Amino acid sequence: MTTLDSRLNAYISGLGQNARDAAKALLTATTEQKNDALRASAKALREAKADLLAANKEDVDSVGDSRPDSFIDRLRLTDERVEAMASALEQIAELPDPVGRLLSTTERPNGLTIERVAVPIGVIGMIYESRPNVGADASALCLKSGNAVILRGGSESKNSTREIVACMQAGLEAAGLPKGAVQTVETTDRNAVTALLHAVDYVDLVIPRGGRGLVELVRDEAKVPTLLHLDGNCHSYIHADADIEKSLDVVRNAKLRRTGVCGATESIVVDRAIAEIVIPRLVKIMEGCELRGDTEARRISPNLVEATDEDWSTEYLDPIASVKIVGGLQEAINFVSEHSSGHTDAILTENADAARRFMTSIDSAVVMHNASTQFSDGGEFGMGAEIGIATGKMHARGPVGLEQLTSFKYLVHGNGQTRP
């Protein structure tokens, strides 16, 4: 092990010990304390808005023209986005405390009462890329669910993240809680991520939020448990029995509202029975979005760019979408099942039976009927915010909010029982 590795491991161990100590303190923190900390943090964000925007400008300027516009959009903060961060903290403060919930009670024949109660997970490592607001959302959700968090944001957002964490720590101290409950890995050395993933003595769970490269790195390197969030190759399928005008409005929103979010539709699937009507109208309403179509779609509208096999599995995060024509519901199910990343997929139809079959057959974390895939979001689900969209099948799936950031333990009450 090199000296640099030793220093990094010592640095991460220091953060981990601080987080572990804070997590113990949070076990006995009251709901009122946690809510006070969230409201004080929201106040601190608003008061520090000028400093935060200045720090964010440094981040954006440092990237320059080296990244696409969609990346810059995810990185950039505005007055409205800072206010949205602060408001999200206040909304989380208003939500029920997930800790201490009685999940079940069992009365045994021998008189023992066994309760299953929700408890914090402990220390969470949150690794994410360019969006600085993720740090605020993750910190707030972890705090309300009684967890300490160590943030490792993208190097491009280091200045913004530092300011956000300072505001969160100010809120913690104002509520009498340890500021070690929210920390950030300040070094941009990539090896720090590996050190965090190996910190089995301190970290209980790592959650990655970003592109496939980041998630695969975490999956392959982690020695601590992980909650994976894969990329969002989301589909919107316009079924033969769709209300075409309504469906086209939904598809436009699903793709173009914000192209750089993981819930954006990347592939538009069209039933052959209505393709001659839908494709020309789709081209018209998706002006400014490059559409890459299969041979049949391009025959209907030569304006489409020729799609390759790679397009069907690509998360663009840009104003680009693939267009696939299918010969009915089962072919659509087969195509989506083959190419979806398991994040969010939608069917647009007025046929309830077709909707039910699609929603049952598609094994994604979120499946929608007649709604934009961009509703796949913790805030829109009433969670106040989210730490990400889990695409696995264990513990948590879909938007990860407060309840998903808890585990449970058993409390057994007796009256002198002994086991024979």
Side-chain angles (χ1 to χ4, degrees):
M1 182 179 292
T2 66
T3 302
L4 177 60
D5 289 335
S6 298
R7 289 177 180 176
L8 274 176
N9 278 282
Y11 173 60
I12 295 299
S13 294
L15 294 178
Q17 187 60 60
N18 290 340
R20 180 64 67 196
D21 292 342
K24 290 178 181 177
L26 290 176
L27 285 173
T28 55
T30 65
T31 301
E32 184 179 9
Q33 275 182 297
K34 293 186 288 187
N35 290 344
D36 286 347
L38 289 169
R39 295 187 182 103
S41 297
K43 183 172 183 269
L45 279 171
R46 292 188 177 104
E47 292 175 347
K49 182 174 68 174
D51 291 338
L52 178 52
L53 292 177
N56 182 250
K57 185 176 185 303
E58 286 186 57
D59 290 333
V60 173
D61 290 346
S62 70
V63 173
D65 298 327
S66 65
R67 296 298 187 99
D69 290 345
S70 58
F71 181 93
I72 300 299
D73 177 61
R74 294 195 298 275
L75 175 61
R76 179 177 286 116
L77 293 175
T78 62
D79 287 356
E80 293 76 18
R81 290 181 182 180
V82 173
E83 176 56 33
M85 278 196 294
S87 296
L89 266 58
E90 292 171 333
Q91 291 169 21
I92 292 169
E94 294 299 318
L95 294 174
D97 192 333
V99 177
R101 287 174 297 129
L102 181 61
L103 303 176
S104 66
T105 304
T106 302
E107 299 286 344
R108 300 295 298 147
N110 61 5
L112 289 178
T113 299
I114 303 174
E115 298 175 333
R116 189 159 60 95
V117 178
V119 297
I121 291 171
V123 175
I124 293 176
M126 180 70 194
I127 304 174
Y128 56 101
E129 292 180 328
S130 59
R131 293 175 63 185
N133 65 292
V134 171
D137 290 348
S139 299
L141 289 168
C142 287
L143 170 58
K144 183 65 180 269
S145 55
N147 298 290
V149 64
I150 301 173
L151 303 173
R152 176 47 161 90
S155 58
E156 299 86 356
S157 61
K158 62 180 180 181
N159 297 302
S160 307
T161 299
R162 187 180 300 117
E163 290 292 331
I164 290 169
V165 169
C167 292
M168 296 300 303
Q169 291 182 340
L172 286 162
E173 290 188 302
L177 296 174
K179 67 178 185 179
V182 176
Q183 300 175 93
T184 181
V185 178
E186 295 201 7
T187 176
T188 58
D189 191 321
R190 290 180 180 271
N191 290 321
V193 173
T194 301
L196 185 63
L197 294 173
H198 292 182
V200 293
D201 291 332
Y202 305 105
V203 178
D204 296 296
L205 178 70
V206 165
I207 302 176
R209 177 168 171 173
R212 180 173 289 271
L214 170 65
V215 175
E216 290 179 348
L217 168 69
V218 171
R219 180 196 64 197
D220 296 341
E221 285 286 338
K223 293 184 178 180
V224 300
T226 59
L227 184 59
L228 297 182
H229 299 235
L230 288 178
D231 54 330
N233 184 26
C234 305
H235 297 72
S236 289
Y237 166 46
I238 305 177
H239 178 251
D241 294 335
D243 179 319
I244 293 176
E245 183 175 358
K246 177 170 71 178
S247 298
L248 289 171
D249 285 344
V250 170
V251 168
R252 176 177 172 79
N253 178 269
K255 177 64 218 180
L256 295 179
R257 171 189 166 270
R258 285 189 70 184
T259 59
V261 298
C262 58
T265 284
E266 305 289 16
S267 187
I268 303 165
V269 183
V270 181
D271 207 302
R272 181 173 293 119
I274 56 172
E276 294 281 354
I277 301 171
V278 169
I279 297 297
R281 294 182 63 181
L282 183 66
V283 170
K284 184 176 181 180
I285 69 158
M286 299 293 281
E287 184 179 358
C289 178
E290 179 182 310
L291 298 177
R292 301 178 181 179
D294 62 7
T295 301
E296 192 172 353
R298 293 182 69 245
R299 180 186 59 77
I300 296 172
S301 179
N303 292 331
L304 272 63
V305 177
E306 183 178 359
T308 66
D309 288 342
E310 185 179 354
D311 282 305
W312 309 128
S313 301
T314 298
E315 181 188 32
Y316 301 109
L317 299 175
D318 269 319
I320 305 171
S322 62
V323 180
K324 175 70 175 178
I325 293 179
V326 295
L329 177 61
Q330 187 57 52
E331 191 174 330
I333 290 170
N334 293 344
F335 177 80
V336 174
S337 297
E338 180 180 357
H339 297 286
S340 172
S341 62
H343 187 295
T344 302
D345 297 296
I347 181 171
L348 300 156
T349 184
E350 301 304 303
N351 184 322
D353 289 337
R356 188 176 302 107
R357 183 174 161 197
F358 182 90
M359 298 178 84
T360 302
S361 301
I362 298 300
D363 191 21
S364 294
V366 180
V367 187
M368 297 187 169
H369 175 209
N370 285 347
S372 168
T373 56
Q374 297 218 11
F375 280 111
S376 189
D377 175 87
E380 295 296 330
F381 277 34
M383 297 176 175
E386 69 182 36
I387 209 165
I389 307 289
T391 52
K393 299 182 182 181
M394 301 300 289
H395 172 63
R397 199 174 189 198
V400 177
L402 294 174
E403 290 186 14
Q404 292 76 24
L405 291 175
T406 61
S407 180
F408 59 84
K409 66 180 178 183
Y410 290 97
L411 304 180
V412 181
H413 304 276
N415 186 30
Q417 288 90 336
T418 59
R419 185 170 177 176

